[in-house]
Amino acid sequence: MIELTKRLVETWGPSGFEHRIRDLIREEVADLADETWIDGLGNLICRVGAGGKKVLIAAHMDEIGLMANYQEPESGYLRFANLGGLRNDSLNGNRVLFEDGTVGVIAVHNGGGKALSDFYIDVQADSGENATPVGQPAGFMREMQVRGRRVIAKSLDDRIGCVVAIETMRRLERQTPNDLYFAFTVQEEVGLRGAKTAAQGVHPDIGIAIDVTGSGDQIRGRKMQVKLGGGAAIKVHDPGLIVPLAIKNWMVERCEADGIPYQLELLMGGTTDASAIQMADAGVPSGCISIPTRYLHTTSETVDIDDVQACIDLLTGLLANDIAM
Ligand code: CO
Ligand code: ZN
């Protein structure tokens, strides 16, 4: 699981440009699904089983990134637009990789650093030449590290959710009484766009997003019940989703029955693919299994590997059994 996580987080794939990470996942799940296809927006959808409840499981492939949108006439420095929720307080000095292979360094004007317009990217190849043109997308560069039970990496949002989905498919070995659709979605970070078309294509009875959530155990930050090492986080509420009681209880009872450590998640900012899935068709009861994460949307997102395992155990337990709902 650690090795798969490393490969996924270090693969380039900002929102709208998920082709490399999609190729990697498609290869990884080739023997784990009965059928796979790519929908019109770019989601990778993997069907497992037949009969029973139709469940859509969504984990997003995209990572936050940026796109060069203007070149300063004299210096050649690039200005950029965000692809997803960049944290301006973590940009200065970070390296980015453009699609064409160019490495850029993000810098900030003296005394600036509050607004995106304070930043620029240095892509000079020498004193006269610029190495990449405007219109190029970029993702952040950072190697994954492991410290005891903790994994530190960029893009754990939501490659760790992809890991949970893939490892669950591995555990199921294509055996389930249900009709499962694992969707590795695109463009979550720019507004849950992939989940919308995935849900409209699949017409599920139930939706489950697998995504990261915050943690309340940092020195500063919002008060929040969730902590690293506290188990799988079962979402109760976020600004885009009020989880139906039947879904929440289904997850809690599974954890109780199987002895899986869990905690209840109430998130004050942000939402997941589940909030898009719930609005498909005439409405789809939807929930979310969350991986507690520190330093979200930075290049050093941090999770606890035991929490990840608990999420795999929970998702496998839910999907391997009949769903009485
Ligand atoms: Co995110
Ligand atoms: Zn996410």
Side-chain angles (χ1 to χ4, degrees):
M1 181 165 67
I2 294 283
E3 185 271 337
L4 175 64
T5 304
K6 181 173 170 64
R7 275 194 291 136
L8 292 190
V9 296
E10 292 180 2
T11 298
W12 188 92
S15 303
F17 302 91
E18 296 90 352
H19 42 281
R20 295 187 201 171
I21 181 75
R22 183 174 55 225
D23 286 349
L24 197 163
I25 293 175
R26 192 170 203 180
E27 203 174 297
E28 194 67 33
V29 301
D31 299 329
L32 308 177
D34 295 320
E35 192 186 353
T36 67
W37 66 92
I38 297 167
D39 79 4
L41 203 68
N43 298 304
L44 172 65
I45 300 178
C46 311
R47 185 182 62 77
V48 179
K53 290 282 183 188
K54 210 179 214 195
V55 187
L56 175 61
I57 304 102
H60 68 90
M61 295 186 287
D62 61 314
E63 59 184 333
I64 53 165
L66 53 87
M67 184 181 275
N69 67 348
Y70 178 76
Q71 188 176 331
E72 293 287 347
E74 270 160 42
S75 58
Y77 292 131
L78 295 174
R79 302 297 184 154
F80 57 96
N82 59 307
L83 295 173
L86 294 180
R87 289 195 49 151
N88 294 359
D89 59 1
S90 76
L91 293 179
N92 191 24
N94 250 314
R95 290 175 214 177
V96 293
L97 182 65
F98 286 90
E99 165 132 62
D100 63 5
T102 302
V103 174
V105 175
I106 303 180
V108 65
H109 292 295
N110 270 344
K114 294 270 190 287
L116 208 56
S117 56
D118 294 331
F119 296 89
Y120 58 91
I121 304 177
D122 180 353
V123 287
Q124 286 177 351
D126 55 38
S127 53
E129 205 198 331
N130 227 21
T132 195
V134 298
Q136 278 280 326
F140 289 87
M141 304 176 76
R142 190 63 73 98
E143 278 184 7
M144 189 181 97
Q145 308 287 343
V146 177
R147 183 184 61 218
R149 306 306 291 164
R150 302 284 153 88
V151 173
I152 306 160
K154 76 171 182 72
S155 310
L156 284 167
D157 178 10
D158 185 27
R159 305 289 168 72
I160 199 67
C162 296
V163 169
V164 170
I166 294 166
E167 293 298 336
T168 297
M169 292 173 77
R170 214 186 302 286
R171 287 264 298 275
L172 289 172
E173 296 180 310
R174 293 158 64 186
Q175 301 303 310
T176 170
N178 301 298
D179 193 13
L180 308 180
Y181 296 79
F182 289 87
F184 297 91
T185 61
V186 296
Q187 300 191 39
E188 190 272 353
E189 297 287 359
V190 292
L192 318 173
R193 296 176 193 169
K196 284 192 188 103
T197 64
Q200 284 161 17
V202 167
H203 303 293
D205 300 318
I206 294 170
I208 303 174
I210 314 291
D211 208 337
V212 297
T213 188
S215 71
D217 54 4
Q218 296 169 222
I219 289 178
R220 305 223 281 179
R222 285 198 174 97
K223 299 275 186 218
M224 189 182 186
Q225 217 52 69
V226 170
K227 59 174 190 285
L228 258 65
I234 296 173
K235 192 182 292 288
V236 177
H237 173 259
D238 70 30
L241 177 72
I242 299 164
V243 178
L245 264 184
I247 297 282
K248 180 195 136 195
N249 291 342
W250 176 47
M251 293 181 176
V252 167
E253 282 160 19
R254 190 76 257 161
C255 286
E256 299 278 359
D258 292 353
I260 300 165
Y262 72 95
Q263 46 195 332
L264 297 179
E265 180 213 349
L266 294 101
L267 181 67
M268 293 296 285
T271 191
T272 73
D273 277 347
S275 74
I277 297 168
Q278 69 173 339
M279 305 292 273
D281 297 331
V284 180
S286 298
C288 181
I289 299 173
S290 303
I291 303 100
T293 307
R294 291 184 192 155
Y295 323 123
L296 278 166
H297 288 199
T298 74
T299 46
S300 297
E301 294 176 336
T302 302
V303 300
D304 188 296
I305 206 68
D306 294 331
D307 293 338
V308 179
Q309 188 59 54
C311 291
I312 296 167
D313 293 344
L314 171 55
L315 185 61
T316 305
L318 293 173
L319 301 177
N321 290 282
D322 286 312
I323 301 170
M325 221 185 305

